Amino acid sequence: MTVSKDGLFDASEAKEAPDAPVGLTGRPVRELPQPAPLEKHGPARIISMVNQKGGVGKTTSSINLGACLAEQGRKVLLVDLDPQGALSAGLGVTQEEDAITVYDLMLDNTASIHGAIRHTNVSGLDLVPANIDLSAAEIQLVNEVGREQVLGRALRPVRGDYDYIIIDCQPSLGLLTVNSLACSDGVIIPMECEYFSLRGLALLTDTVEKVRDRINFDLEIIGILVTMFDRRTTHAREVMDRVVEVFGDRVFDTVITRTVRFPETSVAGEPIITWAPSSQGAQQYRNLALEVIERTV
């Protein structure tokens, strides 16, 4: 039995059986180690969910990864960094007119993050909401000193209260996304298995490297998450093969397949593990949570 220095795992290291079945990535299916309960929480690992292309599953993955990490006993804070506020809506959090949002935290020095945090219906999962006001933040931050560090300063007071802080970024590589990357320990890149998503990966990885070289020396790509995968199409399988060929072990073993369950959960305002706990999608995100814990110990 192998236990990490942090004592986070009480199971043996994941091993590949010689006759293990092959997963959707073309690699043998591994038995993922189960994380041990935590004796205390924090400091949080901050993860940016980033892709400049829209409609690739960033918000869905933020919600469901956060819920599955909470199911594993981790305290998780989700941060909505998209002016559309889809993350907030996807968790059934109503927009209150006088509520403190991430916009206030970034532009108002008197705003407190403790006043912005909203509890969700999932135990251990909290949220900092966003609304359309955030669309003006990039313009207002342009002339600020240390403009790339504004979000990091806002999150600092609660970093010791959580195990993971997941930031759902807007589909852009602008100043808001740079703020997220500047304060993050790692990046998860959701991508749909189609040609234009593959092309955009090169630009995104280049941006991550520039932020690491110039602003945040500790930033790393935790993994590339393939979403909305349809194994029936030759195109999807070809793109998958190419992604694994280029990025290797950076690609998560877990693949999120296309299903009608995810749109249903968005309407219901809850994660898939509470809406359809025994579904394939729920199990896939549970596996992703185990992979993320394994990669971030």
Side-chain angles (χ1 to χ4, degrees):
M1 178 180 294
T2 302
V3 180
S4 70
K5 63 181 180 180
D6 297 320
L8 292 178
F9 288 93
D10 59 1
S12 61
E13 292 180 325
K15 296 179 180 178
E16 295 177 1
D19 57 347
V22 175
L24 295 177
T25 61
R27 295 193 291 253
V29 176
R30 299 184 305 135
E31 182 181 350
L32 292 165
Q34 291 294 320
L38 296 178
E39 296 181 1
K40 62 177 184 177
H41 297 287
R45 296 273 297 184
I46 301 181
I47 298 172
S48 288
M49 196 74 70
V50 181
N51 195 319
Q52 75 275 20
K53 188 177 185 300
V56 297
K58 289 188 298 295
T59 300
T60 298
S61 296
S62 297
I63 292 171
N64 290 293
L65 173 59
C68 290
L69 288 170
E71 188 179 53
Q72 290 291 341
R74 273 57 186 168
K75 287 197 67 176
V76 182
L77 177 65
L78 299 180
V79 179
D80 195 346
L81 204 63
D82 188 341
Q84 298 179 69
L87 183 70
S88 308
L91 283 166
V93 176
T94 56
Q95 295 286 355
E96 298 176 5
E97 193 169 324
D98 59 344
I100 300 173
T101 67
V102 69
Y103 169 82
D104 301 304
L105 299 179
M106 296 180 73
L107 274 301
D108 183 356
N109 290 332
T110 65
S112 166
I113 189 170
H114 295 94
I117 291 174
R118 308 280 295 276
H119 300 299
T120 71
N121 293 327
V122 179
S123 177
L125 183 65
D126 294 338
L127 167 74
V128 174
N131 57 27
I132 196 63
D133 292 343
L134 190 60
S135 59
E138 291 201 12
I139 297 173
Q140 293 174 275
L141 286 172
V142 165
N143 296 318
E144 290 286 327
V145 176
R147 59 189 181 181
E148 297 91 354
Q149 310 291 344
V150 172
L151 180 62
R153 289 197 298 271
L155 295 177
R156 191 176 299 133
V158 296
R159 191 162 184 175
D161 301 333
Y162 294 93
D163 302 305
Y164 290 95
I165 297 176
I166 300 174
I167 306 171
D168 181 33
C169 298
Q170 63 178 341
S172 161
L173 294 180
L175 187 52
L176 288 177
T177 300
V178 171
N179 256 267
S180 181
L181 295 176
C183 69
S184 293
D185 299 293
V187 177
I188 292 177
I189 305 173
M191 66 158 288
E192 186 180 3
C193 250
E194 59 99 17
Y195 176 67
F196 291 110
S197 289
L198 182 58
R199 286 186 63 192
L201 269 182
L203 175 61
L204 179 53
T205 53
D206 182 58
T207 299
V208 172
E209 288 172 3
K210 286 180 179 178
V211 172
R212 181 176 60 228
D213 292 342
R214 303 174 187 179
I215 302 174
N216 181 359
F217 305 122
D218 298 322
L219 185 65
E220 63 176 357
I221 295 177
I222 295 172
I224 296 168
L225 174 65
V226 176
T227 63
M228 295 181 281
F229 181 71
D230 188 345
R231 75 184 78 192
R232 297 171 299 177
T233 68
T234 302
H235 179 67
R237 295 196 301 270
E238 288 176 345
V239 173
M240 171 73 84
D241 292 341
R242 181 61 178 158
V243 171
V244 174
E245 178 186 342
V246 173
F247 294 97
D249 291 340
R250 281 183 168 182
V251 182
F252 284 111
D253 290 329
T254 301
V255 175
I256 310 301
T257 53
R258 192 180 295 275
T259 172
V260 297
R261 287 295 190 181
F262 293 122
E264 290 175 0
T265 62
S266 299
V267 175
E270 57 182 284
I272 195 167
I273 61 168
T274 59
W275 175 254
S278 59
S279 66
Q280 184 182 52
Q283 188 55 51
Q284 287 167 351
Y285 273 109
R286 288 187 176 107
N287 289 341
L288 176 63
L290 294 178
E291 278 201 79
V292 168
I293 294 173
E294 181 185 43
R295 293 188 183 203
T296 56
V297 293

